[in-house]
Amino acid sequence: MTSQEIRQKFLDYFKSKEHLIVPSAPIVLKDDPTLMFSNSGMTQFKDFFLGYKTPTAPRIADTQKCLRVSGKHNDLDDVGRDTYHHTMFEMLGNWSFGDYFKKDAIAFAWELLTEVYGIPKENLYVTIFEGDASENLERDQAAYDYWKAVISEDRIINGNKKDNFWEMGASGPCGPCSEIHVDLRTPEEKAKVSGLELVNNDHPQVVEVWNLVFMEFNRKADGSLEKLPAQHVDTGMGFERLCMALQGKSSNYDTDVFTPLIAKVEELSGKKYTGILEDEKDIAIRVIVDHIRAVSFAIADGQLPSNGGAGYVIRRILRRGISYSYRFLDMKEPFLYKLVAVLKDQMGSVFHELEKQGKLVTDVIKSEEESFLRTIETGLIRVDKLIQQTIANNSKVLPTQEVFELYDTYGFPDDLTRIIAEEKGLTIDEKGFEVALNEQKLRSKADSAQKVYDWVTLEEGEENFVGYDQIEAETHITRYRKVENKDGEFYQVVLSNSPFYPEGGGQVGDKGVLENATESFEVLETKKENGLIISLINGLPKDASAIFYAKADATDRKNSQANHSVTHLLHEALRDVLGTHVEQKGSYVGPEYLRFDFSHFNKMTEEELALVEEKVNAKIKESIALQEFRNIPIQEAIDKGAMALFGEKYGDSVRMIQFGSSKELCGGTHVKNTSEIGHFKLTSESSAAAGIRRIEAISGDKSDEYFKNLEKQVLELSQLLKSKDVVRSIEKLIEENASLKAEVEAFKKEKAKGEIGDWKGAYEQKGDKLLLVKKTSLDSGSVKDIVFQLKKEIPTSITIILSDADGKPMITVGVSDDLAGIYQAGALIKELAKEIQGGGGGNPGFATAGGKNLDGLENAYQKALNI
Ligand code: SER
């Protein structure tokens, strides 16, 4: 069975059991401050489990792209060193939201594994939760009883809280789980040691394939458990491990999920993969074929590598891959980007984003590779210097501070420093390095640290966002919780009716006030978390259940929505002018300005920019009315021609924003008519990343201000120039200035000519040669000319001129040709320049040096006289 068939069979099976098949959510999460990436299939359904939102269907199944590289579930360090952990992996899952529970979940899993996939029953073991006294949780007898019906009791194993109580993170939905493990060893091996002993023991051939979680609880921030409003099922099956089991392999890397990638690495590197666990070359190959998947999927979902947040995690994964290939495969040139095409061929038909974004993914990876390889090269030079220094100091240990700086400031991999040092018989101070690393971690943690308390729920149920139609609303608080950070104590509130737009789709969240007759609070920001709209306020009302009036800041909102609507017009104009390869890759829409990142490979020309600006302004002038379609089926919107973005999570019903021919799926707030936008003005165009351009622009009040300022400046200029035609006047000034400059130059030359005669007569005989040492205030250009001429005209001479024109010390030395080889102008200047704290150089016959210390000229003069 190919991996494609295995995936399809899973989806078909659950479809036949009345599950709605949904697409994978993006791998990068946008509206969950507690989590950066989807780390399991259930992430996208968190708000269903918590009861904040109504599930789209009672039964759902899918394959989800997951990434476990940060937070509670982090497998990064294991990847490559074993045969079954991955950064990015697919999780096949089926869900019941308050529908079936343990009985059906167990029956479905068993039927699929043993009958559809045909895994022999004697290869399977299952675990159940043994209970936990400290949490007051009982043994999962129900699960035990359901398993007993299909599998012999000696294959049911009790598991502790660590293995059999699944939690998504430090807080959130959780519950006891039951895992299915498969024993892939040969009959001989099985005869020696029973599989029972190897379950949950990190044996590479006795692995967990499927985890059935019975969600019943919510772990609160204070650590306690509360019952969820309903019982749910969340299952997750490791797709790559399932392929290993069904394809009769002993490593995930030997399945057809990875073999095409491995073959390509072999071809490009000329190194053979032998599948050995400890072999460094094999580890490197496993690391590469694993990491390329994580990085490619993340970029295809819109997460570019960067210096912070999720982008930094992606950059680090890619750099780990580059570092391994540099060290163990001897690959010193970019090549990982060439694997993207293989991945696209393999998975593009299931994950269309790879197909569509392939070129961008390739270009971004290539440029990251180039820049990190440069980092490695310059780092190697630094390491070399450190090594010389250490040896010169008779030490065996590289200086810790510098080693840490190499890693922290220059991004040079510390393991590379370690290896190179060892090759020279030196070491690094591991303890000191770790201390520095921890201190740094603590510093960055302290900056962002905040303590979030549990929700106090005043009223259950869904809140209502009314901000599309009004910016003020009568409301009351349904939940609140305390937040403490370095700026003090705040409260997050959820409102029954919220006019505050929560940050999302690039648009900033609303600020405003929440007030009633007795109290007033500032709303500092509004965000979305697990489907809840959360506003941050600067205090807690004395009566939290009172009626309040919520008002979003009208001016900010007006300007933000002008910028949002014009972003749509800009997107359309860019596609018109540059082509339909242009796709939105990120945006920021605030009251002050907008930023729009999009795929395009060249710098835009002046003409293209002008045309885009013109087109957008033409649409604004057409006064196009907003057509808003709320809650229409996604297919209907796509059929109408709406643009959807990669990496965005869309539900079944969506909102479409239309301004004439511009149609986008969008959750933001917009003007009612394009005429409200005011003038659109581009302010910059630059590169955001490989293959991605960035435009910044203004509209609304800001562009009014911009033009007013411009007018004011022109007016001031016109008064200053006493002319209405400022351009002509400035042209005239420039012309005048040029002719004055020419006059001055001629004048200087004349003056220098006069000097030259005096200087010629001032040479002194010193031994067998002539020496002129002279101070002057002539400008440096003239001095150079004169010295050059003198060294030619006066044989057997040395000319040293010290000048102080414009308050800058300068020394010029000329040596006549017949003295060349005896005296070096360069060497003389080096000696003299020390006095003026300067540097410079030239050739043996002529040299100049500028300096910082004007007062030093006198010393230089005395030194010169003694030559
Ligand atoms: N949430 C569980 C897991 O990740 C099952 O999907 O293992």
Side-chain angles (χ1 to χ4, degrees):
M1 231 183 297
T2 65
S3 53
Q4 293 266 20
E5 288 162 351
I6 293 170
R7 188 190 291 112
Q8 198 53 49
K9 271 198 161 92
F10 178 89
L11 299 174
D12 290 346
Y13 175 81
F14 281 103
K15 197 169 176 191
S16 79
K17 303 288 178 198
E18 284 138 17
H19 286 65
L20 176 75
I21 308 300
V22 302
S24 170
I27 203 163
V28 187
L29 299 175
K30 298 243 166 82
D31 65 352
D32 188 344
T34 61
L35 206 59
M36 279 185 196
F37 304 102
S38 288
N39 65 0
S40 70
M42 59 81 70
T43 313
Q44 67 161 317
F45 305 120
K46 246 169 86 178
D47 40 358
F48 296 167
F49 287 119
L50 290 166
Y52 299 160
K53 284 264 148 21
T54 320
T56 0
R59 298 177 176 204
I60 288 181
D62 72 1
T63 177
Q64 171 66 45
K65 302 171 278 187
C66 298
L67 204 54
R68 289 197 170 172
V69 287
S70 56
K72 179 169 160 46
H73 297 282
N74 185 349
D75 292 334
L76 186 58
D77 291 337
D78 288 330
V79 174
R81 307 201 162 273
D82 68 18
T83 53
Y84 57 100
H85 276 102
H86 299 292
T87 52
M88 182 263 164
F89 62 97
E90 274 179 73
M91 190 179 271
L92 304 168
N94 58 294
W95 286 271
S96 150
F97 302 107
D99 187 350
Y100 61 83
F101 202 44
K102 298 180 185 178
K103 181 170 181 232
D104 287 334
I106 287 173
F108 289 153
W110 192 250
E111 184 178 44
L112 179 64
L113 288 183
T114 59
E115 283 169 37
V116 178
Y117 288 135
I119 300 182
K121 292 180 187 172
E122 59 276 17
N123 285 356
L124 296 171
Y125 294 92
V126 300
T127 63
I128 60 133
F129 180 49
E130 66 185 7
D132 188 282
S134 67
E135 299 261 19
N136 222 355
L137 293 167
E138 285 176 6
R139 177 170 188 264
D140 193 351
Q141 189 59 37
Y144 186 87
D145 291 339
Y146 295 127
W147 279 123
K148 208 169 65 175
V150 291
I151 190 169
S152 66
E153 283 181 72
D154 59 355
R155 288 178 170 265
I156 309 176
I157 304 165
N158 281 331
N160 58 18
K161 193 174 108 183
K162 179 180 144 282
D163 290 325
N164 282 81
F165 193 85
W166 200 85
E167 310 205 30
M168 188 192 57
S171 61
C174 55
C177 63
S178 198
E179 296 172 346
I180 307 173
H181 295 250
V182 59
D183 185 351
L184 301 168
R185 292 172 306 150
T186 59
E188 295 75 44
E189 285 169 320
K190 285 180 185 162
K192 276 189 238 153
V193 185
S194 156
L196 274 175
E197 288 174 35
L198 301 177
V199 166
N200 274 334
N201 260 326
D202 288 332
H203 191 288
Q205 252 94 69
V206 184
V207 291
E208 172 202 338
V209 279
W210 205 342
N211 187 12
L212 317 180
V213 184
F214 310 120
M215 295 283 190
E216 288 184 85
F217 302 101
N218 179 33
R219 171 82 66 194
K220 299 183 13 177
D222 67 6
S224 64
L225 291 174
E226 70 182 354
K227 272 259 186 204
L228 286 174
Q231 290 174 323
H232 316 283
V233 171
D234 152 31
T235 88
M237 175 145 63
F239 172 65
E240 296 75 13
R241 292 182 188 182
L242 178 67
C243 290
M244 161 166 87
L246 297 182
Q247 295 180 354
K249 305 292 184 193
S250 53
S251 155
N252 287 359
Y253 294 93
D254 294 339
T255 66
D256 69 342
V257 177
F258 290 101
T259 47
L261 288 168
I262 292 178
K264 188 73 184 176
V265 177
E266 288 181 327
E267 178 199 318
L268 294 170
S269 69
K271 303 271 190 313
K272 196 98 202 99
Y273 180 66
T274 49
I276 298 171
L277 210 56
E278 292 82 18
D279 185 290
E280 284 177 330
K281 158 180 64 57
D282 287 348
I283 296 176
I285 293 180
R286 285 192 292 270
V287 164
I288 292 166
V289 298
D290 172 276
H291 290 11
I292 195 71
R293 288 165 29 105
V295 173
S296 300
F297 274 103
I299 298 174
D301 271 351
Q303 182 56 64
L304 296 174
S306 67
N307 274 338
Y312 186 55
V313 177
I314 298 305
R315 177 165 278 168
R316 266 187 21 227
I317 299 176
L318 183 54
R319 288 184 166 188
R320 187 170 184 257
I322 301 170
S323 170
Y324 268 83
S325 40
Y326 187 94
R327 284 165 52 195
F328 303 117
L329 301 184
D330 227 10
M331 297 300 280
K332 313 273 183 252
E333 298 291 327
F335 83 108
L336 296 174
Y337 71 95
K338 293 184 182 158
L339 300 174
V340 178
V342 181
L343 192 62
K344 198 173 80 175
D345 284 350
Q346 237 182 307
M347 307 189 78
S349 62
V350 183
F351 299 99
H352 301 295
E353 60 278 23
L354 265 193
E355 182 77 42
K356 300 249 170 67
Q357 307 291 307
K359 171 144 175 53
L360 178 79
V361 174
T362 310
D363 287 339
V364 170
I365 293 181
K366 184 167 179 223
S367 106
E368 279 287 306
E369 281 192 85
E370 283 163 352
S371 98
F372 189 53
L373 285 167
R374 274 198 301 274
T375 301
I376 293 185
E377 295 299 340
T378 46
L380 286 175
I381 296 170
R382 287 204 169 89
V383 174
D384 213 50
K385 269 201 191 134
L386 277 189
I387 289 177
Q388 303 307 336
Q389 217 175 298
T390 310
I391 294 173
N393 289 341
N394 273 331
S395 166
K396 287 263 170 226
V397 189
L398 297 189
T400 311
Q401 196 46 43
E402 277 85 342
V403 169
F404 184 70
E405 194 179 276
L406 251 161
Y407 163 82
D408 191 45
T409 313
Y410 299 103
F412 188 76
D414 56 312
D415 45 0
L416 223 51
T417 311
R418 207 167 275 125
I419 290 167
I420 300 167
E422 277 163 15
E423 280 168 3
K424 302 274 180 215
L426 306 176
T427 55
I428 73 169
D429 167 14
E430 299 291 351
K431 269 238 168 70
F433 185 78
E434 209 181 301
V435 170
L437 199 65
N438 283 338
E439 278 172 1
Q440 202 260 15
K441 272 188 195 152
L442 285 178
R443 271 197 302 276
S444 53
K445 233 190 186 158
D447 282 346
S448 60
Q450 67 168 10
K451 187 166 162 49
V452 180
Y453 289 77
D454 274 315
W455 284 116
V456 176
T457 306
L458 303 177
E459 185 184 298
E460 291 284 355
E462 292 187 22
E463 94 266 62
N464 203 4
F465 175 61
V466 296
Y468 290 142
D469 303 307
Q470 55 204 77
I471 59 165
E472 299 185 2
E474 197 175 282
T475 190
H476 59 269
I477 297 171
T478 58
R479 292 167 207 267
Y480 67 85
R481 68 182 177 193
K482 188 157 89 173
V483 177
E484 285 166 359
N485 60 31
K486 63 177 192 336
D487 298 324
E489 191 178 290
F490 300 90
Y491 282 83
Q492 292 182 326
V493 295
V494 177
L495 303 174
S496 57
N497 282 324
S498 180
F500 301 119
Y501 177 75
E503 179 185 325
Q507 186 176 333
V508 298
D510 280 341
K511 296 178 178 173
V513 288
L514 186 66
E515 60 185 9
N516 60 17
T518 47
E519 290 179 280
S520 174
F521 297 93
E522 210 181 323
V523 172
L524 303 159
E525 63 173 32
T526 305
K527 287 189 167 163
K528 207 164 193 171
E529 183 181 315
N530 295 317
L532 295 180
I533 298 174
I534 300 173
S535 292
L536 186 73
I537 61 174
N538 60 341
L540 181 68
K542 284 191 196 74
D543 178 7
S545 56
I547 298 290
F548 279 92
Y549 210 67
K551 288 190 212 161
D553 184 305
T555 313
D556 276 3
R557 171 65 97 76
K558 183 184 91 178
N559 285 314
S560 290
Q561 60 195 30
N563 278 335
H564 202 154
S565 300
V566 87
T567 301
H568 287 201
L569 301 182
L570 170 65
H571 193 183
E572 190 188 27
L574 285 167
R575 286 168 69 91
D576 267 3
V577 172
L578 303 175
T580 49
H581 63 279
V582 167
E583 270 173 18
Q584 176 167 345
K585 286 291 162 224
S587 74
Y588 166 86
V589 178
E592 308 280 322
Y593 75 107
L594 69 95
R595 187 175 67 222
F596 187 73
D597 293 349
F598 57 100
S599 44
H600 181 57
F601 293 93
N602 305 315
K603 183 171 173 47
M604 285 178 69
T605 63
E606 290 296 327
E607 293 74 37
E608 285 166 344
L609 287 168
L611 195 56
V612 165
E613 204 174 71
E614 204 177 287
K615 276 183 182 272
V616 172
N617 280 314
K619 294 268 176 183
I620 295 174
K621 281 207 199 105
E622 272 178 45
S623 301
I624 308 169
L626 161 75
Q627 280 178 281
E628 183 197 359
F629 300 85
R630 272 184 218 173
N631 290 323
I632 58 169
I634 184 154
Q635 198 51 49
E636 187 184 325
I638 303 281
D639 293 346
K640 279 186 198 284
M643 295 236 281
L645 305 179
F646 284 103
E648 283 301 327
K649 181 181 156 196
Y650 297 109
D652 290 334
S653 60
V654 293
R655 177 164 174 264
M656 184 176 102
I657 294 297
Q658 177 170 1
F659 288 107
S661 49
S662 151
K663 298 167 198 164
E664 296 202 19
L665 300 185
C666 179
T669 65
H670 287 272
V671 297
K672 294 273 173 280
N673 188 296
T674 57
S675 60
E676 292 167 36
I677 295 171
H679 195 86
F680 170 71
K681 177 83 201 95
L682 289 171
T683 53
S684 77
E685 192 269 356
S686 59
S687 159
I692 299 198
R693 306 297 306 174
R694 166 168 295 173
I695 275 184
E696 289 182 342
I698 48 177
S699 74
D701 290 349
K702 280 291 152 190
S703 70
D704 287 352
E705 244 171 63
Y706 172 86
F707 285 109
K708 264 196 208 121
N709 276 337
L710 218 58
E711 192 184 9
K712 201 169 140 232
Q713 273 174 15
V714 174
L715 227 84
E716 277 173 20
L717 276 177
S718 143
Q719 279 162 1
L720 219 57
L721 296 165
K722 297 196 177 41
S723 148
K724 286 220 167 348
D725 188 349
V726 284
V727 177
R728 182 60 212 128
S729 299
I730 289 175
E731 271 170 7
K732 244 166 87 188
L733 274 183
I734 292 172
E735 279 162 23
E736 265 173 40
N737 191 37
S739 85
L740 283 174
K741 248 194 190 152
E743 253 175 59
V744 171
E745 283 305 314
F747 178 73
K748 276 191 200 158
K749 278 221 170 85
E750 236 3 80
K751 190 168 172 228
K753 251 192 214 154
E755 296 261 336
I756 206 162
D758 296 347
W759 291 20
K760 269 186 194 165
Y763 278 91
E764 276 178 42
Q765 189 75 37
K766 284 252 175 165
D768 55 357
K769 61 185 187 294
L770 292 168
L771 176 68
L772 173 68
V773 179
K774 195 163 175 52
K775 289 190 249 176
T776 177
S777 291
L778 272 184
D779 68 289
S780 60
S782 304
V783 172
K784 274 184 202 167
D785 285 348
I786 301 177
V787 172
F788 218 80
Q789 205 170 326
L790 288 175
K791 94 183 193 74
K792 274 200 290 192
E793 279 182 28
I794 317 271
T796 330
S797 73
I798 296 179
T799 314
I800 303 177
I801 308 299
L802 305 110
S803 55
D804 61 1
D806 298 330
K808 286 189 197 119
M810 168 114 185
I811 306 174
T812 311
V813 177
V815 176
S816 61
D817 288 349
D818 55 347
L819 286 185
I822 307 170
Y823 294 96
Q824 298 270 342
L828 291 173
I829 206 110
K830 215 168 156 197
E831 204 39 49
L832 297 173
K834 280 182 196 159
E835 303 297 334
I836 56 167
Q837 284 176 17
N843 55 41
F846 182 84
T848 58
K852 289 187 209 120
N853 178 17
L854 189 62
D855 296 340
L857 267 186
E858 187 52 37
N859 283 348
Y861 179 72
Q862 295 305 333
K863 228 184 202 178
L865 286 177
N866 292 326
I867 276 183

